[in-house]
Amino acid sequence: MNAIISASGLAAELAGGEPPVLLDVRWQLSLAKAAGEPPFDGRAAYAAGHIPGAVYVDLDAELASAPGPEGRHPLPDLEVFGAAMRRAGVSAARPVVVYDGGQGWAAARAWWLLRWTGHPDVRVLDGGLPAWQGELTTDVPRPEGGDFRPEPGETGFLDADDAAALARSGVLFDARAGERYRGEVEPIDRVGGHIPGAVSAPTTDNVAPDGRFLPAEELRARFKALGADDGTPVGVYCGSGVSGAHEVLALAVAGIPAALYVGSWSEWSSDPDRPVAVGPDPQ
């Protein structure tokens, strides 16, 4: 099953007899509050225009719990998440397509959560809303309630101890920008650097300038060059488990299964007893 869908493919499916459930998860990591500016408002962006039939999902409220010791975007309460998905019309037997404003991070977070909790058919719109060539609407759909009940999977999720172990026994990718990995800058978290043993693999290098994923062959070659050989256990982390989900999605496009450390650097760095590596060397 493909993890992504093109805009033309989505248009064809929406025009068919059994269209997928469509989720709009527009969100941006914003430092605007620190500058006294209002943060990005995904719900307002949705209200101003969205793909017909799409239901808005709030990443901060429905795809994550409140920030705390487990990170800035810890796992959501699964009852809250499940209720939000059912309100949006998500059912186990109906395909789901997720999109965001083009960066792909938020859509990937929804994709990963649905896949990890048991939904069998979830895809992300490649390139997000900017790739869509059809009309937009301000009409808000009222879908029939779905039946999806999230059940956490036995694989695909890492906690801090799992991530530390995987950095030694397999490959742990750090999806943040290289300067944050090296500890040269840290605009958000307590300290800069990376988990000892993690390999720098910025998620921005997985996409073309238009925001669409690179071809699967190119992604596969990239990750192989970074250590993800056949059979090697692979994990990903980022700042708070959002852009890291986008890298897990890129790995899926490449045909490489990977787990996500949801707490990511925001959880890891909050504990002064956890080791921190700096510089370009993984160790």
Side-chain angles (χ1 to χ4, degrees), residues 120-209:
D121 191 348
V122 190
R123 290 163 293 169
V124 169
L125 174 59
D126 194 16
L129 190 61
W132 178 252
Q133 299 297 311
E135 66 173 354
L136 299 179
T137 183
T138 58
D139 293 339
V140 178
R142 296 288 184 266
E144 293 185 8
D147 63 15
F148 179 67
R149 300 283 173 180
E151 295 290 343
E154 296 183 0
T155 61
F157 171 82
L158 302 174
D159 63 18
D161 291 339
D162 296 331
L166 188 58
R168 298 188 298 269
S169 64
V171 177
L172 181 66
F173 288 136
D174 184 317
R176 298 172 300 158
E179 58 268 27
R180 290 184 70 190
Y181 170 88
R182 296 188 295 271
E184 297 166 358
V185 298
E186 182 43 65
I188 308 173
D189 295 312
R190 185 185 68 84
V191 64
H194 58 269
I195 297 173
V199 176
S200 180
T203 196
T204 50
D205 292 346
N206 296 323
V207 296

Side-chain angles (χ1 to χ4, degrees), residues 82-145:
M85 293 299 98
R86 292 189 293 276
R87 281 197 302 272
V90 175
S91 292
R94 188 176 174 190
V96 177
V97 173
V98 191
Y99 73 88
D100 59 22
Q103 190 178 42
W105 295 3
R109 171 73 175 221
W111 167 85
W112 178 83
L113 269 170
L114 281 164
R115 294 290 293 148
W116 178 63
T117 56
H119 199 288
D121 191 348
V122 190
R123 290 163 293 169
V124 169
L125 174 59
D126 194 16
L129 190 61
W132 178 252
Q133 299 297 311
E135 66 173 354
L136 299 179
T137 183
T138 58
D139 293 339
V140 178
R142 296 288 184 266
E144 293 185 8

Side-chain angles (χ1 to χ4, degrees), residues 7-274:
S8 60
L10 175 60
E13 291 195 11
L14 290 175
E18 297 182 359
V21 174
L22 190 57
L23 306 180
D24 181 314
V25 195
R26 273 178 275 181
W27 171 91
Q28 290 180 11
L29 175 63
S30 177
L31 303 179
K33 292 172 69 176
E37 302 172 5
F40 174 80
D41 188 339
R43 193 175 295 277
Y46 169 84
H50 52 268
I51 298 175
V55 176
Y56 179 71
V57 175
D58 188 319
L59 185 148
D60 289 316
E62 296 170 327
L63 305 182
S65 297
E70 295 180 340
R72 280 181 279 110
H73 289 104
L75 283 176
D77 180 287
L78 291 185
E79 288 299 323
V80 172
F81 170 64
M85 293 299 98
R86 292 189 293 276
R87 281 197 302 272
V90 175
S91 292
R94 188 176 174 190
V96 177
V97 173
V98 191
Y99 73 88
D100 59 22
Q103 190 178 42
W105 295 3
R109 171 73 175 221
W111 167 85
W112 178 83
L113 269 170
L114 281 164
R115 294 290 293 148
W116 178 63
T117 56
H119 199 288
D121 191 348
V122 190
R123 290 163 293 169
V124 169
L125 174 59
D126 194 16
L129 190 61
W132 178 252
Q133 299 297 311
E135 66 173 354
L136 299 179
T137 183
T138 58
D139 293 339
V140 178
R142 296 288 184 266
E144 293 185 8
D147 63 15
F148 179 67
R149 300 283 173 180
E151 295 290 343
E154 296 183 0
T155 61
F157 171 82
L158 302 174
D159 63 18
D161 291 339
D162 296 331
L166 188 58
R168 298 188 298 269
S169 64
V171 177
L172 181 66
F173 288 136
D174 184 317
R176 298 172 300 158
E179 58 268 27
R180 290 184 70 190
Y181 170 88
R182 296 188 295 271
E184 297 166 358
V185 298
E186 182 43 65
I188 308 173
D189 295 312
R190 185 185 68 84
V191 64
H194 58 269
I195 297 173
V199 176
S200 180
T203 196
T204 50
D205 292 346
N206 296 323
V207 296
D210 63 2
R212 291 180 174 89
F213 281 105
L214 298 175
E217 298 77 14
E218 292 184 30
L219 290 171
R220 195 174 301 116
R222 181 195 184 211
F223 292 124
K224 184 175 181 179
L226 291 170
D229 292 321
D230 292 343
T232 303
V234 177
V236 181
Y237 75 95
C238 57
S240 65
V242 179
S243 68
H246 190 262
E247 185 128 297
V248 174
L249 176 58
L251 284 153
V253 172
I256 302 170
L260 178 66
Y261 172 25
V262 175
S264 285
W265 189 247
S266 59
E267 178 187 33
W268 183 276
S269 64
S270 68
D271 184 345
D273 291 333
R274 292 195 182 104

